[in-house]
Amino acid sequence: MSLQVQGLHAGYGRLEVLHGVDLEVGTGELVAVIGANGAGKTTLLRALSGLLKVRDGTVLVNGTDVTGKGPEKLAASGLAHVPENRLVFPTLTVADNLLLGAYTRRRRPSAERDADRERALALFPRLADRLGQAAGTLSGGEQQMLAVARGLMARPTVLMLDEPSVGLAPRLVGEIFTALGVLRDDGLTLVLIEQNARAALAIADRGYVMDRGRVVFTGVPSELLGDARVQATYLGGDFSPAGGAGDGEPRPAGGSVAMEGG
Amino acid sequence: MTDLLQLLFAGLSQGAIYALIAIGFVAIFAVSGVINLAQGEFAALAGLVAISARASGLPLPVAVVVAVATVAVVAVVMERLTIAPVKAMTTLVSLILTLGVSTALKALMLLVYGPNAEGLEAITPGIVTVAGVSIRYQDLWILLVAAVVSAAVYWFYDRTVTGKALRACAEQPVAARLVGISLGRASLISFLIAGIVGALAGVLSSPVYFTSWESGLALGLKGFVAATLGGLVSIRGAVLGGFVLGVLETLTAGYVSTGLRDAVAFLLLIVVLVVRPGGIFGRHAEARV
């Protein structure tokens, strides 16, 4: 088990957003976490990567308790978080963004990091042509690829991605999700937070559906896609702006009509 | 013509001191948004420590090393005691905190070293005359050291992993933490850099401009103006800002009035902030995110 989360509570100020989330991710598994805007998906990732204080519950990475550690420590213990809105380092070059992705491994031999970089670039070949370019000058899709590649440079136990499809053209979403599938096939463990539920479930091994700070449903993609309650949760659910996904709302994949039939 | 050259040279030497102080402001501000009002005190303290170390019989190079090391420690301790513990640091809070440290350092210097202004002995005493322009050897040292230090700082941010990590903190603090960079450590390193460059400015300028417990005020203000001219987040901008300010000041003093000398910095600052808020050399998109 690469990642085990039990009874996780977290929030902002007096507002509790997560009311006891349980999540298990097996080694080599790609797990999608879906749910409407405001369901607590981003909050979950922020709590897992230490950006947000865990108020209660435990987080185990490879069986080791990492609850309450800060992001700097968690990055070193194998949790890589590819944040919402990419957050590449804009004036640094693509090469330097990748270099800093391996910051926790900066004392490792450079040959090892070079090999990792080659692997990441093989996954996203268009980054290879732009190594010397400032990351801020890349297109949105390229910045997302860079953010994923930067996360990979840490050689994570679990790679966690927050809404990698936001604001991207469908073709680019396809490219990135294909890459995630390749990573899973290579044995990497992934947690994918997505509002674009259909795209996420298309590549996931299992899915969790969140609503108002709780996991309300879990299962394999075919179960989730076929379940009426799930459709209600992420398609008919609460689209309040409080969740912070901001602009670039992904379309409810395919529309609700296509989802009928469970 | 000789007058102009003489003034230009004096301005460059003065500007090199401002540039070093300005680098200190930028090093800290870019990483954490903290404006360190004690930056000038770093320079004054270094001058006073070097003078007293020299007076106690240490050779000049050793006295300089002692002074720079002392100020580096003071800067690091200051960061740990007053900056690191603050959970939600804002630029405004930092102004109040560092003003407090500045005041405390001034009081301490007055207590320990007394009220008199003194000058450290020059690295190479004397004057050389080139084409009618008389140049203090110390001015040459100032320019040399400022050039080497500026280049070294620039290299550090541009080429080393630690330097790039500091820039990452400045640009995307959240993403920097997610890749494992500690913002606390980054802030500490930025104060260390600011302490060292400030101290160098202090020991270099002391033989020419003299040092007292209160000489940090003027140095700090001018350095801050120079850093702001350069956009407050760019090392290159800070260095250029320092030289521009130094030259304009001496030209004003030479051709207009010495009384206007200190007003130049602030007039220039007002004009630049109104016309080009990102600094004279700043592409305005370069501002901190």
Side-chain angles (χ1 to χ4, degrees), chain A residues 1-3 48-50 59-81 103-105 154-160, chain B residues 177-180:
Chain A
M1 199 64 69
S2 287
L3 179 65
L48 289 180
S49 60
V59 180
L60 306 183
V61 176
N62 272 347
T64 309
D65 191 343
V66 297
T67 315
K69 285 191 180 177
E72 304 84 5
K73 294 263 168 55
L74 284 170
S77 46
L79 280 182
H81 175 169
Y103 185 77
T104 54
R105 300 171 52 238
R155 265 203 197 178
T157 307
V158 183
L159 183 71
M160 309 188 293
Chain B
R177 297 178 73 195
L178 289 178
V179 298

Side-chain angles (χ1 to χ4, degrees), chain A residues 87-88 90-92 96 103, chain B residues 164 167 171-172 175 177 185:
Chain A
L87 306 188
V88 297
T91 75
L92 296 177
D96 286 344
Y103 185 77
Chain B
K164 288 168 184 173
R167 286 166 62 201
E171 294 184 1
Q172 286 290 1
R177 297 178 73 195
R185 186 162 166 266

Side-chain angles (χ1 to χ4, degrees), chain A residues 46 49-51 71-72 75 79 81 83 86-92 96 99-101 103-104 106-107 113 150, chain B residues 157-158 160-162 164-165 167-169 171-185 286 289:
Chain A
R46 289 172 57 86
S49 60
L51 286 175
E72 304 84 5
L79 280 182
H81 175 169
R86 298 131 206 165
L87 306 188
V88 297
F89 306 120
T91 75
L92 296 177
D96 286 344
L99 177 79
L100 290 180
Y103 185 77
T104 54
R106 63 191 179 283
R107 298 195 215 289
R113 284 177 286 140
R150 183 179 64 188
Chain B
Y157 283 104
D158 198 47
T160 68
V161 176
T162 306
K164 288 168 184 173
R167 286 166 62 201
C169 293
E171 294 184 1
Q172 286 290 1
V174 170
R177 297 178 73 195
L178 289 178
V179 298
I181 301 166
S182 155
L183 298 188
R185 186 162 166 266
E286 204 185 23
V289 188

